[in-house]
Amino acid sequence: MTDNSSSLLDRSRTVAGPGYNRWLVPPAALAIHLAIGQAYAFSVFNKPLGALISGDVDKPASDDWTPLQIGVTFSIAIVLLGLSAAVFGKWLERVGPRKAMLAASLCFGGGFLIGALGVHLHNLWLLYFGYGFVGGIGLGIGYISPVSTLIKWFPDRKGVATGMAIMGFGGGAMIGSPLANNLMNHFKASAPMGVAPTFIVMGLIYLVFMQFGVWTIRVPADDWKPAGYVPSTEHNDLITTANVSADNAIKTPQFWLLWVVLLCNVTAGIGVLETASPLIQETFSDSAMGPGKGVTAAAAAGFVGLLSLFNLLGRFFWSSASDKLGRKVAYAIYFGLGMVLYALIPTLGHNLQLTLFVAVACVIISMYGGGFATAPAYLSDLFGKYQVGAIHGRLLTAWSTAGVLGPLIVHYLSNSRKAQGLSGAAAYQTVFYTMAGLLVVGFIANIVVTAVNERYYEKGPVTIEPGAH
Amino acid sequence: MNPQSNSPTPPATTADTSSGGSVVLAWLVVGLPLAWGVSQTFIKALALFK
């Protein structure tokens, strides 16, 4: 890389000039999140990856990878997402969003390419290393890279801004899933199940698409503020004008309370997402609803699709609403209303109220998305803008934990009920009651959040790291 | 919305002449793939109501 090209990546070269329209920044952020959101559609590869040897998804060969082995790939990616977001957060604040987005695009696109080699050679460890490890690092850096930039551009609408970007992560799965299916169909004659060439094409598409974000992202000048923006003079303990560094933030109880809040929100959401398809098919089966009236596999896939839509919409709607409601009130709604709705699901299933069941699940999943999208604005309110990206990165370790914990709880509870001979809504009853209980914990954790003690504040004015201006 | 920088010295960067057109174009770049993904999901979701 030449001196000139490296300087193009410097934060100082990304500072917006006078007259820059801040509404150009969310599309740059969306370009990153729409790409890395593909991770949530990884399950589209599960069956094809499990039939690379046999060539028949219904009759895997003994040498084919098992669903568990394939599932580990996604788990590695989610764990690396949290870890890399935590580790690289401060680096991101120092070098700026452009360099971080470039790194994310190289890791995410490169992860696909290494994964393709793993698929081609039928080497599981190479798949883990490529898509899981390298790609997971791309996920983590990419997820946090636009967050603090957006908060600085939209101090008056932090929830709207971060909601727009994080909505993209939800939308990424909607693009990634049909794209992968179409590509695998196209390539299935030339490679086992068409997976390896699909990985290559998707890796290259995402690498190129993310460059739009890399080269259009801009940071505001230090003294910039929106035209006509006057910071509220109303005193609010939970919105600070001070700044807390990432290293100090993790010493505060507020950070760990929010960590518990995110952990409970994500774990409970996984309870719905993991069980959605079997739950609706088993609860509203032909034997329960009458011959030909039960929910089919195709309709269950439609239900999962509907949940994805509400997950996406909730990220924008709830995060934007939190600008008016306040973050604490918003989370109190997610958890307060959420615990009631989670507890209602088994009853609605038992009474065969399909429409209400679907509606309640959609509201639940919208608030799950809202919980994700509101977190950066909550952090910014409590800790200031100084290193909010790095603090957010550290908070995302809660997501990694939930990504492992959630499926374990769901499978353990539902399998033990099924082992007792229970089926339909009864098999999942304890899952939903447990998740409602988790939301009670999250509700309490949110309620006890107070202002950060002044001893954690940075003394004097904070400056952007070297190389900035 | 077209907020102005109050920076006394213009930062050393490429000139940003962001018109409404470039904003629309930028949103189309990300909005079209998203709209395609949403439409695909919506079509799939219709199976639930058949």
Side-chain angles (χ1 to χ4, degrees):
Chain A
M1 199 175 283
T2 65
D3 285 342
N4 188 47
S5 65
S6 65
S7 67
L8 279 174
L9 297 171
D10 285 348
R11 175 187 273 273
S12 59
R13 297 294 296 267
T14 63
V15 178
Y20 185 77
N21 190 324
R22 65 176 173 167
W23 289 98
L24 283 164
V25 180
L30 268 169
I32 302 299
H33 273 240
L34 282 173
I36 61 174
Q38 179 282 334
Y40 265 169
F42 182 78
S43 62
V44 76
F45 295 116
N46 284 354
K47 286 195 170 181
L49 281 172
L52 294 172
I53 305 288
S54 73
D56 184 348
V57 293
D58 295 322
K59 293 177 186 167
S62 58
D63 289 346
D64 268 318
W65 295 332
T66 65
L68 182 65
Q69 287 175 317
I70 296 162
V72 168
T73 316
F74 177 73
S75 298
I76 294 172
I78 291 298
V79 169
L80 261 293
L81 184 158
L83 293 178
S84 60
V87 168
F88 292 109
K90 281 181 72 178
W91 170 78
L92 156 68
E93 298 290 357
R94 189 171 71 249
V95 303
R98 179 171 290 171
K99 202 175 273 186
M101 285 177 171
L102 182 65
S105 69
L106 293 173
C107 287
F108 190 64
F112 260 110
L113 300 182
I114 298 168
L117 187 62
V119 172
H120 178 69
L121 300 174
H122 204 251
N123 184 322
L124 190 60
W125 291 101
L126 205 50
L127 177 65
Y128 287 166
F129 176 70
Y131 189 92
F133 188 85
V134 179
I137 292 173
L139 289 179
I141 298 174
Y143 195 91
I144 59 170
S145 57
V147 167
S148 64
T149 301
L150 281 165
I151 286 173
K152 284 163 192 161
W153 275 114
F154 291 86
D156 48 340
R157 301 182 194 189
K158 287 186 275 194
V160 171
T162 57
M164 273 189 282
I166 292 173
M167 176 185 77
F169 199 85
M174 293 185 189
I175 299 168
S177 179
L179 178 64
N181 275 326
N182 289 344
L183 287 170
M184 282 190 288
N185 278 333
H186 180 75
F187 289 119
K188 66 184 172 190
S190 57
M193 307 307 291
V195 178
T198 296
F199 267 41
I200 292 172
V201 172
M202 289 183 79
L204 294 175
I205 287 175
Y206 286 128
L207 183 60
V208 171
F209 186 67
M210 290 169 84
Q211 298 315 304
F212 175 74
V214 172
W215 299 106
T216 57
I217 192 75
R218 292 282 188 279
V219 296
D222 275 350
D223 55 355
W224 179 89
K225 53 184 179 185
Y229 172 61
V230 181
S232 172
T233 50
E234 263 180 55
H235 178 71
N236 185 334
D237 274 349
L238 293 178
I239 303 178
T240 184
T241 53
N243 287 289
V244 181
S245 69
D247 290 343
N248 276 336
I250 58 169
K251 295 174 189 165
T252 66
Q254 287 81 2
F255 175 87
W256 292 106
L257 288 168
L258 288 191
W259 195 93
V260 170
V261 162
L262 189 62
L263 178 78
C264 294
N265 180 61
V266 180
T267 307
I270 287 171
V272 174
L273 293 170
E274 282 275 320
T275 59
S277 179
L279 172 67
I280 196 165
Q281 286 183 76
E282 292 171 24
T283 304
F284 301 96
S285 62
D286 273 358
S287 60
M289 304 285 284
K293 291 181 180 171
V295 172
T296 62
F303 176 55
V304 175
L306 201 62
L307 293 181
S308 306
L309 266 176
F310 275 83
N311 183 7
L312 174 142
L313 296 172
R315 287 168 191 247
F316 182 67
F317 172 79
W318 287 111
S319 185
S320 302
S322 77
D323 282 342
K324 301 283 181 202
L325 297 169
R327 319 302 169 196
K328 194 169 183 175
V329 173
Y331 274 97
I333 293 171
Y334 306 157
F335 290 132
L337 180 57
M339 67 179 89
V340 174
L341 297 181
Y342 270 84
L344 258 180
I345 285 273
T347 308
L348 294 173
H350 181 72
N351 294 331
L352 300 178
Q353 292 177 298
L354 178 60
T355 308
L356 262 179
F357 178 93
V358 170
V360 165
C362 287
V363 175
I364 284 175
I365 221 66
S366 79
M367 294 192 295
Y368 160 78
F372 263 118
T374 312
Y378 207 165
L379 292 172
S380 174
D381 286 353
L382 288 171
F383 301 109
K385 291 183 284 186
Y386 172 44
Q387 289 189 336
V388 67
I391 299 169
H392 185 219
R394 292 174 189 202
L395 190 77
L396 292 183
T397 51
W399 182 2
S400 296
T401 309
V404 176
L405 197 63
L408 281 176
I409 294 174
V410 168
H411 291 135
Y412 173 75
L413 292 176
S414 59
N415 287 341
S416 61
R417 297 277 289 182
K418 285 176 183 174
Q420 293 167 21
L422 296 165
S423 62
Y428 297 94
Q429 189 171 305
T430 47
V431 170
F432 284 91
Y433 290 159
T434 304
M435 295 310 169
L438 267 177
L439 292 188
V440 175
V441 176
F443 184 86
I444 294 167
N446 174 57
I447 286 298
V448 298
V449 169
T450 54
V452 174
N453 191 302
E454 287 181 14
R455 69 190 159 101
Y456 296 108
Y457 291 173
E458 291 297 298
K459 308 291 182 279
V462 293
T463 54
I464 306 294
E465 300 287 341
H469 301 294
Chain B
M1 200 172 294
N2 195 11
Q4 302 291 317
S5 169
N6 297 325
S7 184
T9 52
T13 182
T14 53
D16 289 300
T17 51
S18 44
S19 65
S22 57
V23 174
V24 171
L25 193 64
W27 278 98
L28 280 176
V29 169
V30 291
L32 288 176
L34 180 59
W36 178 74
V38 168
S39 70
Q40 297 292 308
T41 307
F42 192 72
I43 289 165
K44 198 166 78 170
L46 285 178
L48 184 61
F49 302 104
K50 282 180 182 169

